[in-house]
Amino acid sequence: MNATSPAGPPLTPVRTRPAHTPPTGANSARPTVIELRLSAFRAHRGATLPLGPLTLFAGASGSGKSSALQAFEALARLGAGEELESVFPEPSACVPESAGADGQGRRGFRIGCTVDGPAGPVQLDLAVQAEPELRVVGERLTSCGRILLATALRDPGRSTVQAAWHTAGAVAVTRAPLPDDRLGTALLPLRVAGKTQGQLQVLAAAEQVVVALRSVFACDPQPHRMREPVAAGEGRLRRGCDNLAEVLHRTRSECAIRHARLAAAARVGCAGAVEELAVEDLGDGTVRALLGRGGARVATPVGRLGEGELRYLALALVLLTGPGVLAMDQAAEVPAAYQALTVLADGFDRCMDPRQTRQLVALGVEMAARGHVRLVGAVADASYARGVDGVTVVDLVT
């Protein structure tokens, strides 16, 4: 099947076997992505990647670790309502090299995920045409074996896809056009009235997927951008963690317990004796972070730290804080208690020594067990994490 083929046939009452059993345990009320499917994306073909509370994608360079995280982030951004063009600025690069064009010269890619939560396992599958123009050509939302939403490109001359969603009322199926540059699932809460049992099922499934995808924070600390003083502002940590000092200034005053935990993590992951993680106001509207060296009564600016130490501090901060401190847009209409933050960390072990990486994994396992955060990271070597309770290692091969 060509990669640009629609995600599925028109909506019918056909039932398929669910990929997972309904959720159980303390976190079942929090929608979470438990599976990533890369049917045809970059180097991946027919890949199904399980996701636990803490998941490490392991493999050599070129094995597809980063592209798997890119697909996850792309789904998250689409779930937040972004347009295809902003999510895939170079769509042709997402098409597998071996994918041939169809009779009309079309090539594309397919990605998807499974989200667990109160509505049970919900599967989202998306087919995107990358050439000759970027557009959605098919989408399918499935819950408990029932296809709740199916879209397909019927008229290439129109900038819409034909959508059909489950109604189970006087009319079994509702059909309407949807834009071909957006994720249809994210639009359903605005289009479905919720008057019948079938519509309520569709809404529950769509909202579960959207909440899980909007609870994703992609993080890749950039040490070279973390060394200079930064302006004191609202204190929301950006993707590259370049405003680390600004956020520490906020956490130090607003959350003493977690700031103390971060200082304790610094003692383990930074060289020398670390007594305190402090912030200095430079008097010109900027602040800088310092490591307090108690014995020598000397404070070391974090700008003097090595790249591994800076990445370690930034990732520890991400794991110990929450959505209110991270520069992300969660579903404001859903209480925080019903949302589970998922952190995506490409190059999770980059520049760090094994001791630092093991400490971060232990911290991630602890926070995940509390239901505060889930982590998906890409690492070159996961030998230290194999067999550790709470860690899922997914090996990718070239």
Side-chain angles (χ1 to χ4, degrees), residues 6-394:
L11 188 69
T12 67
V14 173
R15 291 187 174 272
T16 57
R17 186 181 64 179
H20 298 273
T21 56
T24 58
N27 296 328
S28 60
R30 299 181 178 187
T32 54
V33 181
I34 61 171
E35 181 180 77
L36 182 65
R37 288 187 299 283
L38 307 176
S39 301
F41 186 79
R42 293 186 180 268
H44 296 279
R45 280 280 197 175
T48 298
L49 310 179
L51 304 175
L54 194 154
T55 305
L56 298 177
F57 294 150
S61 177
S63 60
K65 305 185 299 294
S66 294
S67 61
L69 288 180
Q70 289 167 5
F72 198 157
E73 184 183 1
L75 288 169
R77 293 175 62 184
L78 291 171
E82 291 193 43
E83 297 180 357
L84 280 178
E85 187 176 8
S86 65
V87 176
F88 300 108
E90 298 181 4
S92 295
C94 301
V95 182
E97 290 185 2
S98 59
D102 64 11
Q104 286 74 46
R106 298 176 300 183
R107 299 172 72 239
F109 53 91
R110 289 178 287 148
I111 56 179
C113 64
T114 300
V115 178
D116 208 352
V122 179
Q123 295 173 287
L124 169 68
D125 292 285
L126 182 69
V128 178
Q129 175 186 293
E131 302 169 359
E133 59 181 328
L134 181 64
R135 64 197 310 178
V136 171
V137 294
E139 180 179 346
R140 178 186 285 176
L141 188 69
T142 308
S143 176
C144 298
R146 182 186 294 276
I147 300 174
L148 300 181
L149 167 71
T151 74
L153 180 64
R154 300 300 184 195
D155 184 352
R158 296 178 179 270
S159 57
T160 60
V161 292
Q162 184 62 36
W165 57 83
H166 183 58
T167 304
V171 178
V173 174
T174 299
R175 303 183 188 276
L178 292 178
D180 68 353
D181 62 348
R182 301 288 183 96
L183 185 70
T185 296
L187 300 175
L188 284 181
L190 302 175
R191 302 292 296 268
V192 180
K195 295 181 178 180
T196 69
Q197 188 62 37
Q199 289 176 338
L200 290 173
Q201 185 182 9
V202 171
L203 281 174
E207 290 172 354
Q208 177 169 294
V209 170
V210 169
V211 168
L213 293 179
R214 288 182 61 178
S215 301
V216 170
F217 179 71
C219 174
D220 187 8
Q222 302 294 313
H224 67 281
R225 299 173 57 188
M226 298 163 59
R227 300 186 184 281
E228 301 299 325
V230 296
E234 63 176 350
R236 299 192 72 196
L237 190 66
R238 295 190 283 264
R239 178 193 184 108
C241 302
D242 51 289
N243 62 331
L244 175 73
E246 175 196 1
V247 178
L248 291 177
H249 185 265
R250 174 183 173 184
T251 60
R252 194 165 187 262
S253 61
E254 293 184 4
C255 190
I257 295 178
R258 291 200 177 188
H259 188 85
R261 285 294 314 274
L262 183 61
R267 295 187 191 102
V268 177
C270 296
V274 177
E275 295 294 331
E276 183 185 9
L277 189 57
V279 179
E280 180 183 13
D281 188 336
L282 299 180
D284 59 355
T286 65
V287 294
R288 67 173 180 174
L290 306 169
L291 292 185
R293 309 288 190 180
R297 296 184 179 179
V298 174
T300 303
V302 298
R304 297 183 183 179
L305 301 181
E307 291 192 357
E309 291 175 303
L310 284 172
R311 284 185 57 85
Y312 171 85
L313 276 178
L315 289 169
L317 175 60
V318 172
L319 292 173
L320 283 166
T321 56
V325 182
L326 305 177
M328 58 183 296
D329 181 26
Q330 277 197 303
E333 64 277 11
V334 179
Y338 293 97
Q339 301 184 62
L341 170 67
T342 297
V343 175
L344 306 184
D346 196 8
F348 181 69
D349 57 354
R350 188 187 309 140
C351 301
M352 291 189 291
D353 62 40
R355 173 180 54 90
Q356 293 169 323
T357 308
R358 285 195 296 269
Q359 178 64 19
L360 279 179
V361 168
L363 182 60
V365 168
E366 176 190 346
M367 300 309 290
R370 295 182 180 184
H372 294 164
V373 67
R374 292 168 69 89
L375 171 70
V376 183
V379 298
D381 175 29
S383 57
Y384 56 87
R386 298 185 188 279
V388 175
D389 288 343
V391 179
T392 300
V393 176
V394 179

